[in-house]
Amino acid sequence: MGRGDLSDAEWERLRPFLPVSNRRCGRWRDHRQVIDGILHRVRTGVQWRDLPERFGPWKTVYERHRLWSGDGTWERLLQQVQAAADAAGEIDWDISVDSTIVRAHQHAAGARTDPPPVPASKGAEVPEHQGETAWQSLRRPPGGGGAGGEGLGRSRGGFTTKLHLSADGRCRPLSLIVTPGQRADCTQFKPVLEKIRVPKSGPGRPRKKPDSVAADKAYSNGPCREYLRRRGIRHTIPEKTDSQAARLRKGSRGGRPPGFDEERYKKRNTIERAINRLKQHRAVATRYDKRRYVYLGTATAAALTIWLRT
């Protein structure tokens, strides 16, 4: 086992949820070898063509990663690991939300402007068992239409991507979204929270509602607070200075100040530490992937290793 490869215990946690065959009615190349190759690239940021020979053909490793990024396999694996942690009571549901800017390498430019092709078996259900075929459920991944459609934009940092995420109280990512670098944080607050989905180990609906949410002033606006109140989620978000001044100018018509728990807000550092953990993976800290859904798969694979090793 090389540095960064899956241990036997980690492999056994993933093995039951991996697909068995591809659409050519053949067998996959050894999953463990290929996953180790993907994780090596995610950790080091090496070019796919420069993968060590012990991982097999580089194109096989890349195509497996691209496929699993498009059909949601990485997200399903992450959810299954989260489900096992939740069943053991190891998830701290006092979560935090934030975003981070990721510098896009020049290799990230140049994706085709047309959207990814639609598979022949459109509308098939997502496989949940080994006997089902992943190719049959491949849905159209997001992207196409130029740099904006691929989550690439211009910000003060230049050619950038923004990674929006939520994290539990133990600094582990719960959900991830990729947008262009100039996209405002508050616009992705609702999508990030609604993407949280931790299945139950037995019967029952997946858990989607946290106990509380902490966020910085970038999320301090009416729509974000109204969304949290509507879902009955306790939240700690500091009030912006200009909003406070406007409320005070209105006097009694300005309403009450929003509640703010200073001690709870101190736990918001968990999201910063989760971002630091993600960016220990060089293919996450710098975006090399041309397609947005492939980069999201890269970030999800990095989040999966964090959950497996925490």
Side-chain angles (χ1 to χ4, degrees), residues 9-27:
E10 293 165 355
W11 166 245
E12 287 302 322
R13 295 176 66 182
L14 297 181
R15 185 178 57 80
F17 309 109
L18 295 171
V20 172
S21 61
N22 57 26
R23 65 176 178 177
R24 299 182 182 87
C25 301
R27 300 288 298 183

Side-chain angles (χ1 to χ4, degrees), residues 2-3 5 29 33-34 36-59 61:
R3 180 171 179 264
D5 291 354
R29 188 178 184 88
Q33 180 189 32
V34 174
D36 284 340
I38 294 172
L39 296 184
H40 177 85
R41 186 262 175 179
V42 171
R43 180 174 59 85
T44 64
V46 68
Q47 292 188 12
W48 289 106
R49 292 176 182 269
D50 295 332
L51 280 175
E53 294 182 359
R54 66 186 180 91
F55 298 122
W58 70 267
K59 194 169 184 179
V61 181

